[in-house]
Amino acid sequence: MSGRIVKIALDSPLDTEFDYRWSARADDEAEPQVGQLALVPFGHREVVGVVTAVGHATDVDASKLRDVMALRTQLPPLSPAWLALCRFAADYYQRPLGEVMLPCLPKGLRTASTVALDRALKKRAAALSSASPSSPSTAARPAKSAKSTQSAKSVKSASTVAVDASSASAAPTLNAGQQAAVDAITAAQGYAAHLLFGVTGSGKTEVYLHAAQSVIERAKASGQAAQVLILVPEINLTPQLEGSVRARFPQLQVVSLHSQLAEGERLRHWVAAHHGDAAIVLGTRLSVLAAMPALRLIIVDEEHDPSYKQQEGLRYSARDLAVWRARQLDIPVVLGSATPSIESWQHAATGRYRRLDLTQRAAANAQLPRVGLIDMEINKAPDGLSAPLLTALRARLERGEQSLLFLNRRGYAPVMHCDACGWISDCRRCTAFMVLHKPERRLRCHHCSLELRIPSSCPTCGNVDLQPLGRGTQRVEEHLQALFPQARVLRIDADSTRRKGSAQAAFDAVHRGDVDILLGTQMVAKGHDFQRLTLVGVINPDTALFSPDYRAGERLFAQLMQVAGRAGRAALAGDDAANSAANSAAASAAGSADRRAEVLVQTRYPTHPLYRALLAHDYPGFAQATLTERRSAGLPPFMFQALLRAEAKQLQVALDFLQAARDLMPCEGIVLNDPVPMTITRVAGVERAQLLIESNSRAQLQAFLKPWLTALREQKSRLRWSLEVDPVDI
Ligand code: ADP
Ligand code: ZN
Ligand code: ZN
């Protein structure tokens, strides 16, 4: 009798792999293989797990051993390299292996039913046979995967993009800097990490595309398959990039992987990546764990972006995993940014990463915008928009150019207030204010999502004249519409883009030129290549200067450089237009006979070093100063951290738990700080506290965490706690 014991990783908080028995039901049934998906009974449920070992021995009592119900033999096993990647992530981020492996797989693979999987495989087979030599239409393959509405939409938007950026489908001749970067990346034999430090608009995308092409062609020349993984920080950035990639490589299968794909489509894309059919996989952070058997190059665009860090469950950094994966596979990795993370900058300084610089904008005549500071101590602006900013806006409207206003605060006003008694719109469940949302006629808590109707009078004293305090995007939008009734104002933030597809429609409208003034939160600040934008106004960025979070400055600087980088990405249409505009009354009133695009930052601290560096587009100077500060303050990247968080109904219970955890075992070379309440202590009625663990050795920190967490789990405390390695928000 052929019987086997298989170890299976399951999506369970128990930090172990589970033993099952497998017996062949027919003589010709294949043996189970490591990396295969298997359906097994677990408690009263049937769940899918990943086979991590096949053998004969087990410590489990024979009477308790249960049988594997089915092996997913229709799918090739996940590769040893993929298993090793998950194992590393599980070890490093201190999570059970199954909680790493399973959640990153599409739902259709994790269900007892194989209907979705079989359908995906059938479509794949059909596409492959229609693309076989007998039918020469290879271009049919990417078209096939674009059947559903989602892809159809991206393809449509891709064509809009191609019209806007007419260079999209024909590769432009690389400039010297781009060529040098591509050469460096493709010359690399084996593992090499490159930090592509290119100013906004310097054409980093072209470097990615050329590097990808060269890697794929070289592999093909030696009869091998090659796959390239391109990570982007935001779903909203995928359509434009997907459009450029498809247009450039019509003969290759290009798939995207992100959480907004419909389930069936995500499964099909995953299957295409897993079989090696998709030459290029484009995705958000979760795609760093995509199975790609022929992966030869990894690109991380906007590598500094905080959204590469997963904030729940497995709290991983997709950028860091990308670098690990490249090293494991012995392939090159490219981290691109105009404002690299301080960590990456330091790695480049110490030679761990190789820095490749693009110092100029790529498009002919495109220049970095001029940055100006508007001193808000001098320029009072009761409605949030100062006179110089309004003048500049007016000039853009008259010239038919686009403007972007950046305010990183959604809603109408961050708080409502009663002048008579001092009442303020606190959230009763959180240490936070309820935000006024005027169009929706609601008070909303952005932390617990509690919603209330706007009170018609003060809940405490009955005063009917409640005042909004401060301003968010909705209020500025209202003000802009009143000031410029002819202008087409578009607000893009999490509220205006709740409906599926609405963000894409909004960005398409901007690209088409259907918008005069774009107003938005950080959603608009990231990598978009807006072609007609010549003015960026930044409203009220100062609060981040005084944040208790030591990374706030780095984030603010990156955000401002990025949003500033949306301006002046293309040369203006023709000198004539520009000259006549310069002669117009409005343009001279704005004092901008100079055709350079402009960034105006409203601040009360115009002499702050961060703004000084911004004026000079001086990222290296800013990074150097930040590194010096971090070194003397003993902060990352010169220190390694982990954060233990606990939640309880009473704050003291959470603090006591952390204190007990702190005293659990001796710790050499590790600093366990005092437990403290989190900055926003209460969320949805739950009190939250944290304990910061520090060490100047990553290895020492890792060596401490493992046994410590094991001991902590053994406490079987009923309170909720979690650990984050390399935390970004402290
Ligand atoms: P980044 O990602 O570095 O901010 P992009 O890759 O979006 O910049 O490129 C900015 C613009 O420059 C795009 O419109 C792109 O088409 C154009 N571009 C890139 N490389 C070249 C080149 N070699 N010649 C002309 N235009 C280029
Ligand atoms: Zn009142
Ligand atoms: Zn709340």
Side-chain angles (χ1 to χ4, degrees), residues 427-432 434 445-450 682-684:
C427 175
R428 58 180 147 83
R429 310 169 65 204
C430 307
T431 359
M434 302 280 291
C445 174
H446 290 182
H447 297 278
C448 72
S449 308
L450 180 67
R682 192 160 35 96
V683 168

Side-chain angles (χ1 to χ4, degrees), residues 76-77 105 136 166 175 244 277 291 310 373 386 411-412 438 444 449 524 542 590 646 653 669:
L105 299 177
S166 49
N175 62 38
S244 319
D277 304 342
Q310 165 96 4
L373 299 174
S386 64
Y412 187 85
K438 201 173 169 190
R444 266 196 198 141
S449 308
V524 301
D542 289 338
V653 174

Side-chain angles (χ1 to χ4, degrees), residues 609-638:
L610 187 147
Y611 292 131
R612 292 286 129 193
L614 184 72
L615 283 184
H617 295 280
D618 184 16
Y619 174 81
F622 173 80
Q624 199 43 57
T626 306
L627 280 169
T628 307
E629 264 173 46
R630 298 262 183 98
R631 189 191 293 275
S632 62
L635 288 167
F638 305 101

Side-chain angles (χ1 to χ4, degrees), residues 417-424 457-464 466:
H417 176 245
C418 169
D419 282 340
C421 75
W423 172 84
I424 201 153
S457 61
C458 173
T460 338
C461 75
N463 171 19
V464 291
L466 294 178

Side-chain angles (χ1 to χ4, degrees), residues 285-615:
R285 63 171 177 255
L286 63 86
S287 60
V288 75
L289 292 170
M292 296 176 68
L295 187 56
R296 294 287 175 274
L297 170 66
I298 308 178
I299 290 161
V300 185
D301 190 23
E302 313 287 4
E303 67 90 28
H304 64 279
D305 200 289
S307 58
Y308 281 123
K309 180 84 192 203
Q310 165 96 4
Q311 293 293 6
E312 58 198 34
L314 176 72
R315 294 164 190 260
Y316 65 98
S317 155
R319 179 205 51 220
D320 294 352
L321 284 185
V323 174
W324 192 90
R325 194 172 184 182
R327 181 192 287 280
Q328 174 213 24
L329 294 174
D330 203 25
I331 60 171
V333 56
V334 181
L335 311 179
S337 179
T339 51
S341 65
I342 292 296
E343 284 82 358
S344 296
W345 192 256
Q346 174 66 5
H347 284 328
T350 59
R352 279 182 61 170
Y353 296 170
R354 170 155 183 208
R355 212 175 96 192
L356 308 168
D357 291 0
L358 302 177
T359 53
Q360 311 243 303
R361 286 207 158 168
N365 299 324
Q367 280 186 326
L368 282 175
R370 189 165 22 126
V371 181
L373 299 174
I374 300 175
D375 186 342
M376 298 305 278
E377 291 295 342
I378 302 167
N379 293 278
K380 294 295 176 205
D383 291 304
L385 303 174
S386 64
L389 183 55
L390 288 175
T391 309
L393 272 174
R394 212 164 278 130
R396 279 5 182 248
L397 288 173
E398 280 170 28
R399 281 187 245 155
E401 296 168 9
Q402 286 179 324
S403 304
L404 183 161
L405 293 182
F406 172 57
L407 170 58
N408 210 8
R409 175 165 263 165
R410 66 194 171 86
Y412 187 85
V415 54
M416 271 190 106
H417 176 245
C418 169
D419 282 340
C421 75
W423 172 84
I424 201 153
S425 58
D426 282 317
C427 175
R428 58 180 147 83
R429 310 169 65 204
C430 307
T431 359
F433 297 125
M434 302 280 291
V435 177
L436 173 60
H437 285 251
K438 201 173 169 190
E440 301 95 326
R441 304 221 194 98
R442 286 281 187 278
L443 290 179
R444 266 196 198 141
C445 174
H446 290 182
H447 297 278
C448 72
S449 308
L450 180 67
E451 289 204 11
L452 301 172
R453 223 176 297 139
I454 300 175
S456 52
S457 61
C458 173
T460 338
C461 75
N463 171 19
V464 291
D465 190 21
L466 294 178
Q467 296 297 322
L469 279 188
R471 69 189 56 76
T473 46
Q474 292 175 347
R475 194 171 190 180
V476 173
E477 179 188 26
E478 185 183 272
H479 186 52
L480 285 169
Q481 275 161 350
L483 281 172
F484 307 111
Q486 315 301 339
R488 295 165 299 176
V489 177
L490 180 70
R491 169 168 60 88
I492 299 189
D493 56 28
D495 299 310
S496 77
T497 55
R498 239 163 248 263
R499 259 182 317 109
K500 201 173 169 178
S502 54
Q504 200 41 53
F507 285 114
D508 286 349
V510 182
H511 285 298
R512 270 200 312 272
D514 291 350
V515 174
D516 299 315
I517 303 177
L518 170 63
L519 163 71
T521 54
Q522 40 85 24
M523 274 183 80
V524 301
K526 299 182 181 182
H528 294 279
D529 192 26
F530 299 131
Q531 294 278 307
R532 297 178 174 83
L533 199 77
T534 64
L535 172 69
V536 169
V538 180
I539 307 171
N540 194 17
D542 289 338
T543 40
L545 295 177
F546 309 102
S547 161
D549 184 344
Y550 73 90
R551 275 180 222 265
E554 175 186 353
R555 269 199 301 261
L556 174 64
F557 190 76
Q559 222 163 40
L560 294 180
M561 289 279 276
Q562 292 293 335
V563 73
R566 297 318 105 209
R569 295 174 70 85
L572 289 182
D575 282 83
D576 292 348
N579 286 338
S580 67
N583 291 333
S584 83
S588 35
S592 56
D594 181 345
R595 291 176 47 214
R596 256 171 101 177
E598 197 174 20
V599 178
L600 295 174
V601 181
Q602 297 190 158
T603 171
R604 289 169 55 208
Y605 307 92
T607 57
H608 194 286
L610 187 147
Y611 292 131
R612 292 286 129 193
L614 184 72
L615 283 184

Side-chain angles (χ1 to χ4, degrees), residues 167 172-175 178 199-206 362-363 529 531 569:
S167 60
T173 317
L174 297 184
N175 62 38
Q178 288 171 314
V199 299
T200 53
S202 57
K204 293 185 282 295
T205 315
E206 276 309 324
D529 192 26
Q531 294 278 307
R569 295 174 70 85

